[in-house]
Amino acid sequence: MALLEIENLHAAIDGTEILKGINLTLNTGEVHAIMGPNGSGKSTLAKVLAGDEAYEVTQGSIRYNGQDLLDMDPEIRAREGMFLGFQYPVEIPGVSNTYFLKAAVNAIRKHRGQDEMDAMEFLQLIRERAKTVKLEDTLLQRPVNEGFSGGEKKRNEVFQMAVLEPVLAILDETDSGLDIDALRTVAEGVNAMRSAERGFLVITHYQRLLNYIVPDHVHVLLGGKVVKSGGKELAKELEQSGYAMFGEQAA
Amino acid sequence: MSATTKTLEEVTTRDYEAGFVTDIEQDTVPPGLNEDVIRFISAKKNEPEWLLEWRLKAYRNWLNMPHPTWANVNYPPIDFQAISYFSAPKSDDDRPKSLDDIDPKIKETYDKLGIPLYEQEMLAGVAVDAVFDSVSVATSYKEKLAEKGIIFCSMSEAVENHPELVQKYLGTVVPHNDNFFAALNSAVFTDGSFVYIPKGVRCPMELSTYFRINAANTGQFERTLIVAEEGSHVSYLEGCTAPKRDENQLHAAVVELVALDDAEIKYSTVQNWYPGDENGVGGIYNFVTKRGLCQGRNSKISWTQVETGSAITWKYPSCVLRGDNSVGEFYSVAVTRGYQQADTGTKMIHMGKNTRSTIVSKGISAGHGQQSYRGLVRIAPTAENARNYSQCDSMLMSDTCGAHTFPYIDCQNPSAQMEHEATTSKIGEDQIFYCKQRGISEEDAVSLIVNGFCKDVFRTLPMEFAVEAQKLMEITLEDSVG
């Protein structure tokens, strides 16, 4: 079943068009990778999907779980199971990671007509999930991302994903800035969550992440358009020949 | 931006949640101020001669004092002759004998504000001296406190029953001619709270007073005096909220704290008076003089304030650190939105050796709110090895608000160590988006971010007050991002 259907998506920021007609269909249970050089529109796509109001959708449509995604506020998208792992996670001084996640979990549960999670149950859940991404317990009590290293911030994103159990997870360059051990940990966290009920859209610069998170489909984004789609072997091809194989656009 | 702009519009149409008026008869003098009015107040309260003389001295001083203009606030001239200087709830007897004697409408008012008066207090460990306009109408737990020799009563009762204590300490920290508004208060103060903690006693509960301005056009002139004897300890809570009124109401209170050797006073305020309407009409003028004297060695005075209300706030809770090794603290969160103006901060006057002070000020401005931090740290020549740490952070929530900082430092002893940190930040669209992306609504996101910003101050509040303060921030700042 199609979880995400993007049709002829055009989007602009401050009047400059970044996405110029994207088409992409992602089915439940699939992992799609989006690759492309700097400035190709990868992060814009992620933010448009999550509903960042800085971007204006000028044309096209997005259906998510059969609903019109562009009609939904960002928090509703999140409560309907969409998760964005940020490329640059923001800091929220004075707000503990635990408190923040509890607010998120309970907002989502409320949306689904469930009761709030009680404190003990919640604590158990986050401790268990923190282990899966090797996030130290001390980071749970620290303010959200404040004073975290680059690697800790990215692991914190994957940890939040593990707690929130999204239906569609979009990971925006979660691998950037990670050393090889951290990369492996993050990939393991993602792999542990792969399931027939969940879709992943993994955005990355480099092929190396895809050695650990093996995608079902790979799309190459260039100049705001998907210029090529294929299987996991496409990533390997790119690794060898670079984006130059797509001609001048890549320069 | 569209959603945040929309919510900004909503905030201006939001009603003041504590805005209702209780309909009870008032025993009020006609507007105007002269020596006869002061004599009337003094007589009405059966005051001793020395207190009347003190009031008159203050009044005569006040007559020659110019209205201060140095604060970064704007308001039309106040007509002090248009204000009525005495009003008290009418009752058959002069004063209710117990909680059951309280006018049910007054109780209702407190209930609407969610202020517990009976068992809730016992559970919360709070004794309340409720000030309704100018006369105290309820004082609880007095007996329990009396067992330990603690005096917690209205200023009028203190004048009547403990005149020697009042005479000894009244005006010793804030003299009758200290400043324009303090002099006015000294001349016409009607009531307030008095606390006396005897030597070596640790007050077993938080002491709390709720102030409430009720009668239209009636200035409130509260006078509070807290004395902590050697080795004693007290935590005092002051909370305020006023019913909605169109005319400006002047509030010029004076609070004096005296801490003797090894004594500690913690004074916490949550202030939520009527801030005026969306056009800046009405609202309370809050011109307050609060000062604590660390008179004894190793004494400590700590001020925590959460200021969300009033049209204009002019307030500098200060510490005079006279005793060696004494400690002064000031923790403040101030919010200005709509057309609110606040000029607030503190003074730390170091006189004794090894005195230490900490200042943490968090200012939040939204809408057209204007806010200034004004602080003075003075190290006197006698203050060997004094230390001060100051931190002033401002958060801006709109493009039309303002934050200003005026830190004054006057250091006359080379052994002093002083630190000053200041930041100004705008609440980030990216922070709000991050929260929303996790399913958290915009309102909850703002309150989360703001509460995080204020955490260093909120954590110094007593538990039940901290919860109240957070809730107040949520109500105050809902829909304020723009």
Side-chain angles (χ1 to χ4, degrees), chain A residues 50-53 75 78-79 82-84 86 90-95 99-100 104 107 145 157 160 164, chain B residues 1-4 429-431 433-442 448-449 451-453 455 470 474:
Chain A
D52 190 333
E53 287 171 3
E75 61 270 33
R79 292 173 199 166
M82 182 182 280
F83 177 91
L84 171 62
F86 283 75
V90 301
E91 301 182 359
I92 309 180
V95 178
Y99 188 82
F100 174 73
N145 292 321
E157 293 293 289
Q160 290 184 22
L164 298 175
Chain B
M1 284 304 286
S2 62
T4 49
E429 295 278 330
D430 56 343
Q431 284 175 321
F433 179 62
Y434 189 77
C435 294
K436 282 185 179 176
Q437 210 302 305
R438 297 300 184 249
I440 299 166
S441 68
E442 175 156 322
L448 197 84
I449 294 163
N451 277 319
F453 176 73
K455 197 178 182 183
Q470 281 198 18
E474 272 163 38

Side-chain angles (χ1 to χ4, degrees), chain A residues 60-95:
Chain A
S61 70
I62 308 173
R63 295 195 76 73
Y64 170 69
N65 248 338
Q67 294 172 272
D68 182 356
L69 185 74
L70 298 176
D71 240 17
M72 296 155 75
D73 287 331
E75 61 270 33
I76 302 298
R77 300 181 194 197
R79 292 173 199 166
E80 289 281 335
M82 182 182 280
F83 177 91
L84 171 62
F86 283 75
Q87 184 179 2
Y88 303 109
V90 301
E91 301 182 359
I92 309 180
V95 178

Side-chain angles (χ1 to χ4, degrees), chain A residues 150-178:
Chain A
E152 284 170 340
K153 282 184 182 172
K154 295 301 177 74
R155 260 187 303 189
N156 196 28
E157 293 293 289
V158 177
F159 159 65
Q160 290 184 22
M161 175 178 78
V163 172
L164 298 175
E165 300 181 324
V167 179
L168 173 64
I170 304 157
L171 301 175
D172 188 7
E173 302 208 17
T174 302
D175 53 331
S176 65
L178 292 186

